[in-house]
Amino acid sequence: EKAFVLRKIEYARHEGTELEGYSEGGPSLEDRQLIAVDWTQEGLDKVLDPDAEDLSNLQSDNSTQSAEGGTTVQQCLKLFTTPEVLSEQDTWLCGKCKSDVRATKTMGLWSLPKLLVIHLKRFNDQGGFYRDKVDTFVRFPLEGLDMAPYAKGPQANGTVYDLYAVSNHFGGTGFGHYTAFCKSPADGKWYNYDDTSVRPCSVDSVVSPAAYVLFYRRRDVGENGAA
């Protein structure tokens, strides 16, 4: 049972031929040709269902990527705040030695906000109009995200955050579908928002490879945003 089929199409057109039996390196494309993904109804239902237990029986003709391994949002934050030596194309004129030297860039957080929004880089620019979808599984805590290791300035209001919403993206660069997980302030339960459909979901389903934007609230802040 296939989750989707691949078709080769001409640019700005919808019709095309299904791809079958191509080599491991992928199908060859000519100028202004694209690859389209046609989801089957069974595959789409599985992908968009956050409570689906197993996707291993839904595969395309090519191999699927495993969510095992991956990384954590803490590792992403550590890498984001690690000093980076810029390339030789980004040198600057040193005021002391009067020579072009390679600079070091460091990103940091001076003060922590009441509401913290973490936007995961899910699309990799390949130049021109082409971007690749980054499907790395980024694990993140629902409670107790401590931002102290990444903050440079004094923090008088605490550094611990709890998750209250997640925006998910399914699909690729030219198409996709967005859903959201939100924690209700009324009953403290998690709900899945999918277009006009809103239904309860399990806590385990909130952390998934589809996570795109994470929304955290600092613990000293009330649910109405007041500290």
Side-chain angles (χ1 to χ4, degrees), residues 49 64 89 108 170 190:
D49 182 4
T64 57
Q89 285 72 36
F170 300 90
W190 284 92

Side-chain angles (χ1 to χ4, degrees), residues 48-69:
L48 299 182
D49 182 4
D51 297 321
E53 296 180 355
D54 186 12
L55 297 177
S56 60
N57 63 329
L58 288 172
Q59 298 182 1
S60 65
D61 288 334
N62 52 344
S63 60
T64 57
Q65 178 177 343
S66 172
E68 297 181 358

Side-chain angles (χ1 to χ4, degrees), residues 23 36 59 62 86 99 118 129 137 204 207-208:
S23 63
Q59 298 182 1
N62 52 344
L86 301 182
S99 300
I118 300 178
F129 297 100
F137 190 4
D204 294 337
V207 182
S208 76

Side-chain angles (χ1 to χ4, degrees), residues 14-91:
H14 297 288
E15 64 270 16
T17 57
E18 182 175 345
L19 297 173
E20 294 182 348
Y22 51 83
S23 63
E24 183 178 352
S28 60
L29 295 177
E30 298 178 0
D31 186 35
R32 302 183 66 81
Q33 285 187 334
L34 303 173
I35 297 294
V37 181
D38 288 342
W39 289 89
T40 64
Q41 188 59 51
E42 293 79 5
L44 194 61
D45 290 342
K46 282 286 187 179
V47 170
L48 299 182
D49 182 4
D51 297 321
E53 296 180 355
D54 186 12
L55 297 177
S56 60
N57 63 329
L58 288 172
Q59 298 182 1
S60 65
D61 288 334
N62 52 344
S63 60
T64 57
Q65 178 177 343
S66 172
E68 297 181 358
T71 186
T72 66
V73 70
Q74 292 92 334
Q75 290 174 319
C76 293
L77 289 168
K78 181 179 180 180
L79 183 61
F80 179 74
T81 55
T82 298
E84 175 188 1
V85 179
L86 301 182
S87 68
E88 295 181 356
Q89 285 72 36
D90 297 311
T91 58

Side-chain angles (χ1 to χ4, degrees), residues 139-207:
R139 296 173 177 83
F140 48 91
L142 273 65
E143 297 180 343
L145 174 63
D146 190 359
M147 294 294 294
Y150 320 106
K152 303 299 182 181
Q155 309 301 319
N157 297 312
T159 61
V160 179
Y161 289 78
D162 297 323
L163 188 76
Y164 67 91
V166 180
S167 175
N168 304 301
H169 179 268
F170 300 90
T173 56
F175 66 97
H177 182 74
Y178 289 89
T179 67
F181 295 122
C182 297
K183 188 176 182 180
S184 171
D187 58 16
K189 297 180 180 179
W190 284 92
Y191 291 84
N192 176 39
Y193 293 77
D194 185 356
D195 291 336
T196 59
S197 172
V198 179
R199 62 182 184 274
C201 63
S202 65
V203 175
D204 294 337
S205 66
V206 175
V207 182

